[in-house]
Amino acid sequence: MLKKAVWIVAAAVVLACAGVLSVYVVHRQQATRQPTPGSSTSTSVPKASSTTTSSSTTTTSSTTTTSSTTTTTQPIQRCRYADLGVAVGHVGLVAHYQRFLVRFRNTTSTPCNLSGYPGLALTDNAGRNVIGSSTRVPAGGSTATLLGVPANNVVLQPGGFAFFRLAWEWQQGNPTCASSARLEITPPNADHYFVLHEHWQNICSSTVYVQAVQPTAAATA
């Protein structure tokens, strides 16, 4: 009977201990869910949605258009016979040479150029040569009182001029000297000539001397 009582007491004690342990375990499980006093509580803050404001900047591209005007310079053409007018004036008698100034004029509305020596002939009314030939006065020299000038290119603007001088020997009272009725002038590099009715006497040269064309009358002196 006593032994039975002891087993009952022992069993009661075991059950009591088991209940205390169970309560402790449950308490510990619940405690682990609570914040530990004095510990830092990390609050998880939802991440703010990062709103990127795209500032749409409208760039106005100002395109400057430069109008480039290309001017094509046309080459100046040679003066043709039909482009020119001609006139002659007496300069004077120097050392037995009659001297004359001849002027070409551009009668067109566009520039043209002359370069070199004109062609000359003194003839009678029938067109027969009174003087057999013309002689070019070389640049840098002096012949028949004419100054030799370079055969430069001369540009004649509309209404502009080019000049040259001619000379021939004159002897008064010499019956062997000739007389002319016409002066024929061919512009440089042209294939037609002008006819000027110039009645000149006492022409005792076998040739007529001529300069290259120049841009001014002063350049021929």
Side-chain angles (χ1 to χ4, degrees):
M1 192 70 181
L2 179 62
K3 187 180 291 188
K4 185 178 180 180
V6 171
W7 280 106
I8 292 172
V9 171
V13 170
V14 171
L15 291 173
C17 290
V20 172
L21 181 61
S22 176
V23 172
Y24 175 76
V25 171
V26 171
H27 179 74
R28 286 291 300 168
Q29 290 176 346
Q30 291 176 347
T32 56
R33 295 192 183 99
Q34 300 298 322
T36 303
S39 66
S40 87
T41 302
S42 174
T43 304
S44 177
V45 179
K47 185 177 180 181
S49 61
S50 176
T51 304
T52 304
T53 303
S54 176
S55 176
S56 177
T57 303
T58 303
T59 302
T60 303
S61 177
S62 176
T63 304
T64 302
T65 303
T66 303
S67 178
S68 176
T69 302
T70 303
T71 302
T72 304
T73 303
Q74 297 295 330
I76 297 176
Q77 301 297 319
R78 173 177 55 84
C79 296
R80 302 168 303 169
Y81 165 83
D83 299 334
L84 300 171
V86 67
V88 61
H90 185 221
V91 175
L93 177 66
V94 177
H96 302 291
Y97 284 93
Q98 296 284 8
R99 302 197 306 169
F100 299 84
L101 179 66
V102 181
R103 182 191 71 189
F104 291 115
R105 179 177 180 269
N106 180 4
T107 60
T108 72
S109 59
T110 57
C112 65
N113 69 70
L114 289 174
S115 178
Y117 293 83
L120 294 175
L122 289 172
T123 69
D124 59 18
N125 284 323
R128 294 184 295 262
N129 284 337
V130 173
I131 294 181
S133 65
S134 62
T135 300
R136 297 176 176 181
V137 180
S142 179
T143 304
T145 73
L146 294 182
L147 179 65
V149 290
N152 295 326
N153 185 63
V154 179
V155 175
L156 284 71
Q157 297 298 330
F161 302 99
F163 302 85
F164 72 94
R165 294 192 186 213
L166 63 89
W168 44 264
E169 187 178 358
W170 177 86
Q171 292 183 14
Q172 186 175 13
N174 188 336
T176 63
C177 292
S179 298
S180 71
R182 304 193 314 178
L183 170 63
E184 297 175 357
I185 302 175
T186 305
N189 304 307
D191 52 5
H192 290 77
Y193 57 86
F194 296 95
V195 176
L196 301 179
H197 296 279
E198 300 290 342
H199 295 274
W200 294 331
Q201 297 178 342
N202 301 315
I203 302 171
C204 293
S205 294
S206 59
T207 188
V208 57
Y209 299 94
V210 60
Q211 288 177 322
V213 294
Q214 298 297 304
T216 65
T220 66

